[in-house]
Amino acid sequence: MRKSKYNSFDELPLMLTVEDVSHVLGIGLAHAYEVAHRRDFPTITLGSRIIVPRDKFMEWIDEQATKKSEIL
């Protein structure tokens, strides 16, 4: 697993790049781009640039954890 360069959510910028997402989730950049293209993943596209609002990203993580706990 890739080590995150962030120690807490408070350190995250307001708008994350796909590279930031890869660091937070501990996944490779290619996999982070796959996640960023999911319909349920919160992104804003500006030209060819993909950005992720920090608050929406945190909500998405909570939703994923909730879905998993409902299955178990």
Side-chain angles (χ1 to χ4, degrees), residues 1-57:
M1 178 183 260
R2 183 180 218 183
K3 183 169 171 39
S4 177
K5 66 181 184 179
Y6 302 106
N7 294 315
S8 73
F9 280 116
D10 294 331
E11 293 180 6
L12 296 175
L14 290 177
M15 296 294 173
L16 289 83
T17 64
V18 176
E19 184 176 2
D20 292 330
V21 170
S22 76
H23 285 286
V24 172
L25 296 179
I27 60 177
L29 189 57
H31 192 194
Y33 273 102
E34 288 178 23
V35 171
H37 286 95
R38 288 176 46 156
R39 286 185 183 264
D40 68 333
F41 192 77
T43 60
I44 299 170
T45 304
L46 300 170
S48 62
R49 187 167 179 200
I50 299 171
I51 56 174
V52 182
R54 178 183 64 189
D55 294 342
K56 297 294 183 186
F57 177 58

